[in-house]
Amino acid sequence: MIEPYVLGLQEVDETKVAVVGGKGAHLGRLSRIEGIRVPGGFCVTTDAFRRIMEEGPSIDDRLDQLSRLDPDDREAIRTLSAQIRRTIEGIAIPGDVAAAIARALAQGGEQAAYAVRSSATAEDLPTASFAGQHDSYLNVVGPTAILQQVSRCWASLFTERAVTYRRRNGIDHRTVHMAVVVQQMVFPQAAGILFTADPVTGNRKVATVDAGFGLGEALVSGLVNPDVFKVRDGEVVAKAIAAKQRAVHALPAGGTREVAVDSHRQEQPALTDAQVVRLAQLGRRIEAHFGRPQDIEWCLVDDGFQIVQSRPITTLFPVPKTGDQENHVYVSVGHGQMMTDPMKPLGLSVWQLTAMVPMHEAGGRLFVDVTRRLASPASRAGLLDAMGRGDPLIRDALETVLDRDDFVPSLPDTGPGAPSAGDASAPIETDPAIVTELMERSQASIAALERDIRTKTGPALFDFLLEAFEEHKRVLGDPLNLQAIMAGMEATWWLNDKLLEWLGEKNAADTLTLSAPGNVTSEMGLALLDVADVIRPHAEVVAFLQGVEGEGFLDELAKLAGGTEARDAIESYLDRYGMRCVGEIDITRPRWRERPTTLVPVILDNVRNFEPGAAQRRFEQGRQKARKKEQDVLSRLRALPDGEQKADETKRMIDRVRTFIGYREYPKYAIVSRYFVYKQALLEEAERLVQANVLPEKEDIFHLTFQELHDVVRSNQVDDQLVQQRKEAFRAYHALTPPRVLTSDGEAVTGAYRRDDVPAGALIGLPVSAGTIEGRARVILDMAEADLEAGDILVTTSTDPSWSPLFVGIAGLVTEVGGLMTHGAVIAREYGLPAVVGVEHASRLIRDGQRIRVHGTDGYVEILP
């Protein structure tokens, strides 16, 4: 007889998630794995849940209300979700559903003890585990009690934490249904959790076992600290035995009770090493079956392990796929580009196709494999030096990996890892004409791209773009381009090193490079001050901009007094800088030209906070300050032994740094200028696909790689399921934090500053722009939501060039990501802003509105009382 509302665990697998939920489907698969023991039981299907929901018509209205609530409005969510739960628990279970459950119970013994556990259809999925979001009940005895707990499990779909979790993960409440797993209760001597990958470091080769006496509920609820074992290659490599003073045991009549553990047993291990190794082996078997690392709940019964749950570990950062079994060390590209958010597939593939070195994708981010460079002593030294100057945390993480003698193989200097002599190291003259020539070459190349791409459509466009990508790389790889970039950076390092040695002065180059000529990124921030100057005299325009919502506002401006001038000023700005945006290395991100409202809050801040002519005054003040610093430094040097020689060398380096340091920002400007041309052509192609009913939306192309999009254009066919999977994966990637350094074992290696020269409680970072400033912290994660006052200190995760318009209105900068030569640091120095970057978790540790003191010379931040 086929039961409409009940399925035995042996009858279900992963194809039945919609019927038995994620937990039920996983248990069904587990029960089929040879050598894995799973307590017997059955699932009350989602059909039964739907019957209950149909019995409560008021639930539908409340779900509508719930979907409209702000996920941060905890009080409203708490109230509404409690109403829904009470309604569900108050509905009598229909007779045929109750009878089906009773028949299933009769097969295992009506008066036997059972565990009754929720199993939602959006639970235990590869990208969202929902661990702990829904209810479970242990040691439930008798049909009446079981039916009551089944009803509570249904209601737990609407606990406050489950509702909030769904909202934050973009899951519609109406699309999730609840099944219930009813399993025979086991009464273990010990229980706990097995992670088949280290949940802290991510290392896939290290299994972690948490163990305690009695039922696992004691660990899950935090009642006791568990014993923790780490297993690698079949042996226990680390363990910490806790004093387990309490345990949870089952009561004969049903329910559970917290009991004291005998004092002589408290510090005995809950498992022997042999049992731990055997459990880890079972875990590897389960992991292999599911194809991904697992979070497994286990019970030890009479020296045998039973598995009561297995779910994917969703917090691990993915590992780049290589197709080999060799060890690899990867460095994050996003940390160098000041963009650690996930990128969409088209953005990833275009960056890979235009990058100067091979890049590997994982978790929607890009990484460079540095294994071979680390393997050769000569190239290793150069790599560590470059990384250390840019981001000490990356260098420290790489040194941590190198300290493990067996992970990175050692190659001779003549091997493939040895550095090659490149043209970039050859010296060039300190000649501003070199910078002018490079800019003109770049502009000519972009003009040719814009001209030639206009006539290209269909497959021919993609052939053209592949050629354009090669030209893109040729321009970037021009030896003169690399020499000019390195000349500015090396002059900066020379000045900082020598002036510290000779004069005891830290980061002297910060002041010497103020208002350096030709910095397109700092000019971009100052130019928006000029736009504000045009708008400021026109009150009607200012009032209009304060209420702007849609992207068509520029056309509306012309109807207002002074509106034409305002529109022309903004349009002129967009003509020069409209290809920029936050996260601009991802071609799919909306550019300012596509979304000009992004700039409106910054323009209004500039109108409010500055007087007319501020851009020119600011630039001139910086130039004068740099000049005064130069005179001071040279004067002090001449008073030293060999002072004339030191002063002459320093003067040459000051001239050199001011000639070339501004150009440091130009190649990125050229890259994003080309990107916008590529993007406009690809979106026109997407529009043709929409018109041909191949794609429902133009932006769907963002979820295809460049090659996949090429194939779609050729075939006029698209895999809709692939696009949907990519959209879901992209949403899930937002929950992952990319590591600076990642190994092929999956270990996220975190570096440390290893400093003891900062005050207690200070937040340590990298000093990138000298000076000390005290002020109000403004924690801003989205540039479009900026609301700054003069004297504010900007605290954020990272700042790529698009953030520079905000820099003109702040007094200091603190970021979580960054290095000495990343864009935020360069512009902070250009504007004379004290700045500390690489401050781990700054946007969480510093609260918006707190007063802080930024020590830009010494590299730390103090939170003031």
Side-chain angles (χ1 to χ4, degrees):
M1 175 182 175
I2 298 174
E3 290 284 5
Y5 298 114
V6 169
L7 285 173
L9 284 179
Q10 295 289 343
E11 300 174 78
V12 302
D13 57 26
E14 70 276 11
T15 65
K16 292 191 168 62
V17 170
V19 180
V20 298
K23 187 178 297 170
H26 262 65
L27 285 168
R29 273 187 79 176
L30 276 170
S31 65
R32 288 178 166 79
I33 303 173
E34 187 177 348
I36 302 299
R37 294 169 59 197
V38 176
F42 60 90
C43 298
V44 182
T45 68
T46 53
D47 289 337
F49 174 75
R50 288 190 187 89
R51 281 281 304 277
I52 293 297
M53 294 295 278
E54 288 165 4
E55 298 283 327
S58 67
I59 296 174
D60 215 40
D61 294 336
R62 287 182 176 140
L63 285 180
D64 283 338
Q65 295 174 46
L66 203 57
S67 65
R68 291 193 293 268
L69 290 179
D70 183 327
D72 293 322
D73 190 348
R74 297 182 60 178
E75 189 56 44
I77 289 174
R78 183 181 298 118
T79 301
L80 198 52
S81 58
Q83 291 172 357
I84 295 172
R85 289 197 306 277
R86 281 195 298 273
T87 301
I88 291 172
E89 289 181 26
I91 296 170
I93 297 178
D96 52 345
V97 175
I101 294 171
R103 285 191 293 272
L105 286 172
Q107 293 179 23
E110 277 193 358
Q111 294 307 311
Y114 291 87
V116 182
R117 313 172 84 184
S118 306
S119 179
T121 54
E123 185 172 56
D124 293 355
L125 303 180
T127 56
S129 75
F130 278 81
Q133 304 302 317
H134 306 120
D135 290 351
S136 293
Y137 300 93
L138 301 179
N139 199 33
V140 185
V141 178
T144 301
I146 286 169
L147 288 176
Q148 182 182 29
Q149 305 302 31
V150 166
S151 188
R152 285 183 175 170
C153 284
W154 285 331
S156 76
L157 188 64
F158 298 100
T159 62
E160 179 190 347
R161 60 184 183 274
V163 167
T164 303
Y165 190 89
R166 283 196 295 272
R167 287 300 305 275
R168 295 199 188 286
N169 283 274
I171 298 169
D172 184 347
H173 302 301
R174 294 178 185 279
T175 62
V176 185
H177 301 100
M178 182 67 83
V180 181
V181 175
V182 181
Q183 270 182 294
Q184 290 172 358
M185 188 70 190
V186 293
F187 303 99
Q189 290 89 49
I193 300 167
L194 160 65
F195 297 97
T196 63
D198 190 311
V200 177
T201 69
N203 195 319
R204 308 306 200 264
K205 292 187 177 178
V206 175
T208 301
V209 175
D210 290 2
F213 295 125
L215 293 169
E217 186 64 21
L219 303 189
V220 175
S221 65
L223 180 65
V224 297
N225 290 324
D227 296 340
V228 179
F229 303 84
K230 291 190 183 295
V231 181
R232 181 174 184 134
D233 299 329
E235 64 174 310
V236 176
V237 294
K239 59 183 170 183
I241 307 305
K244 301 169 289 296
Q245 297 176 345
R246 314 291 290 172
V248 174
H249 286 184
L251 294 169
T256 60
R257 184 179 64 187
E258 187 184 313
V259 298
V261 176
D262 291 345
S263 58
H264 70 278
R265 291 187 66 216
Q266 287 179 4
E267 296 192 21
Q268 290 181 3
L271 296 176
T272 66
D273 282 9
Q275 288 171 328
V276 170
V277 170
R278 183 152 48 96
L279 177 59
Q281 289 168 343
L282 292 176
R284 291 289 175 224
R285 191 177 301 177
I286 295 169
E287 178 184 72
H289 184 82
F290 286 110
R292 64 182 64 240
Q294 297 288 299
D295 163 355
I296 298 164
E297 293 181 23
W298 56 269
C299 296
L300 177 68
V301 183
D302 300 328
D303 199 39
F305 287 102
Q306 297 207 32
I307 305 301
V308 294
Q309 187 164 330
S310 181
R311 61 168 77 91
I313 307 175
T314 60
T315 55
L316 298 175
F317 199 87
V319 182
K321 293 181 173 62
T322 58
D324 63 39
Q325 298 302 309
E326 303 297 317
N327 289 345
H328 294 271
V329 182
Y330 302 97
V331 171
S332 165
V333 172
H335 285 79
Q337 292 295 331
M338 305 295 282
M339 211 296 270
T340 55
D341 290 344
M343 296 166 67
K344 292 174 183 167
L346 185 62
L348 290 164
S349 60
V350 170
W351 189 261
Q352 287 172 304
L353 287 165
T354 55
M356 302 303 290
V357 294
M359 293 185 178
H360 306 267
E361 183 275 333
R365 279 81 166 188
L366 290 171
F367 294 84
V368 173
D369 187 342
V370 297
T371 317
R372 298 184 80 80
R373 291 181 68 188
L374 285 174
S376 161
S379 59
R380 178 191 308 153
L383 176 69
L384 291 175
D385 183 58
M387 292 296 174
R389 287 186 181 276
D391 185 340
L393 294 177
I394 292 180
R395 175 175 182 144
D396 189 74
L398 291 175
E399 289 177 331
T400 298
V401 176
L402 286 169
D403 286 343
R404 302 166 188 165
D405 296 334
D406 58 340
F407 194 83
V408 177
S410 189
L411 294 174
D413 288 347
T414 54
S420 58
D423 293 328
S425 59
I428 56 173
E429 293 298 318
T430 301
D431 182 359
I434 293 174
V435 172
T436 304
E437 180 188 345
L438 284 167
M439 290 180 176
E440 287 173 351
R441 284 188 199 176
S442 177
Q443 288 160 4
S445 176
I446 293 168
L449 171 67
E450 290 173 331
R451 181 188 66 238
D452 296 343
I453 204 169
R454 287 181 193 137
T455 59
K456 305 297 189 289
T457 61
L461 169 66
F462 289 81
D463 295 336
F464 173 83
L465 283 172
L466 287 171
E467 293 175 12
F469 295 163
E470 292 307 309
E471 166 67 5
H472 181 125
K473 289 192 279 189
R474 186 196 66 75
V475 172
L476 282 179
D478 180 344
L480 191 61
N481 177 57
L482 300 176
Q483 287 167 336
I485 293 170
M486 289 308 299
M489 292 169 65
E490 287 168 352
T492 300
W493 298 334
W494 189 96
L495 287 166
N496 281 336
D497 291 347
K498 291 298 185 183
L499 295 180
L500 179 61
E501 177 188 341
W502 293 337
L503 300 177
E505 186 158 340
K506 293 182 181 178
N507 304 329
D510 295 359
T511 307
L512 293 167
T513 54
L514 287 171
S515 298
N519 188 320
V520 69
T521 308
S522 63
E523 288 168 359
M524 179 171 72
L526 296 174
L528 209 58
L529 287 175
D530 291 335
V531 172
D533 284 354
V534 174
I535 290 169
R536 192 178 292 105
H538 305 292
E540 197 175 347
V541 171
V542 173
F544 171 78
L545 290 176
Q546 286 168 340
V548 158
E549 290 181 358
E551 298 302 338
F553 73 95
L554 288 171
D555 293 332
E556 298 293 315
L557 272 176
K559 301 172 185 174
L560 307 174
T564 302
E565 297 95 311
R567 182 195 62 195
D568 291 348
I570 296 172
E571 285 283 2
S572 176
Y573 185 87
L574 291 172
D575 287 343
R576 181 149 170 74
Y577 304 111
M579 78 295 287
R580 311 217 79 152
C581 67
V582 171
E584 60 194 12
I585 67 170
D586 182 352
I587 197 173
T588 71
R589 289 286 191 106
R591 311 283 135 174
W592 290 343
R593 169 58 77 183
E594 297 169 306
R595 196 173 288 174
T597 51
T598 307
L599 294 172
V600 171
V602 190
I603 293 171
L604 290 171
D605 279 351
N606 289 349
V607 167
R608 185 175 69 248
N609 295 333
F610 292 92
E611 296 296 323
Q616 182 57 39
R617 276 198 309 278
R618 185 162 193 144
F619 186 81
E620 185 56 31
Q621 285 165 0
R623 202 169 65 82
Q624 293 295 343
K625 194 180 285 188
R627 195 172 186 176
K628 185 178 176 186
K629 184 69 173 179
E630 176 183 332
Q631 292 168 346
D632 172 61
V633 163
L634 296 178
S635 171
R636 290 160 61 198
L637 285 173
R638 289 190 183 102
L640 300 176
D642 300 322
E644 287 298 333
Q645 182 184 341
K646 288 172 179 171
D648 288 347
E649 286 181 57
T650 301
K651 172 61 176 165
R652 282 197 299 275
M653 282 299 176
I654 291 172
D655 291 345
R656 192 167 179 78
V657 80
R658 290 192 68 80
T659 297
F660 291 113
I661 198 64
Y663 182 72
R664 165 75 179 82
E665 291 294 300
Y666 197 84
K668 183 74 172 285
Y669 174 76
I671 289 170
V672 295
S673 297
R674 297 180 74 92
Y675 266 28
F676 195 33
V677 179
Y678 305 153
K679 182 180 187 180
Q680 288 169 307
L682 290 170
L683 283 174
E684 287 176 15
E685 206 56 45
E687 182 58 40
R688 281 188 276 277
L689 292 171
V690 170
Q691 294 302 323
N693 294 317
V694 177
L695 289 175
E697 297 175 357
K698 282 197 303 184
E699 287 74 16
D700 283 352
I701 68 166
F702 297 161
H703 296 282
L704 299 170
T705 67
F706 182 83
Q707 185 57 54
E708 288 165 349
L709 180 54
H710 193 175
D711 293 340
V712 169
V713 168
R714 274 198 294 250
S715 66
N716 261 5
Q717 291 182 315
V718 69
D719 184 342
D720 295 328
Q721 194 172 357
L722 175 66
V723 171
Q724 190 56 39
Q725 286 170 355
R726 294 272 177 77
K727 288 180 179 179
E728 290 169 3
F730 179 70
R731 276 197 296 269
Y733 290 154
H734 276 91
L736 300 176
T737 300
R740 285 176 165 83
V741 173
L742 179 68
T743 73
S744 48
D745 286 352
E747 182 179 1
V749 188
T750 55
Y753 285 108
R754 307 191 190 282
R755 290 174 54 188
D756 56 9
D757 59 344
V758 298
L763 309 180
I764 303 175
L766 178 66
V768 295
S769 186
T772 301
I773 191 71
E774 187 177 309
R776 179 179 68 155
R778 293 308 318 273
V779 180
I780 297 172
L781 304 181
D782 182 350
M783 179 181 157
E785 294 175 3
D787 181 13
L788 296 164
E789 300 286 348
D792 283 348
I793 297 169
L794 173 62
V795 179
T796 189
T797 51
S798 62
T799 57
D800 64 7
S802 68
W803 284 73
S804 64
L806 288 185
F807 284 23
V808 298
I810 60 176
L813 174 70
V814 179
T815 69
E816 296 177 1
V817 174
L820 190 63
M821 283 296 169
T822 49
H823 301 280
V826 172
I827 304 307
R829 289 195 291 274
E830 177 80 13
Y831 288 166
L833 301 174
V836 181
V837 303
V839 181
E840 297 272 68
H841 312 302
S843 65
R844 295 207 299 272
L845 296 173
I846 300 171
R847 292 196 310 275
D848 187 52
Q850 275 186 317
R851 289 195 67 76
I852 62 173
R853 186 180 297 126
V854 178
H855 296 264
T857 306
D858 295 315
Y860 63 91
V861 180
E862 291 179 285
I863 300 174
L864 303 176

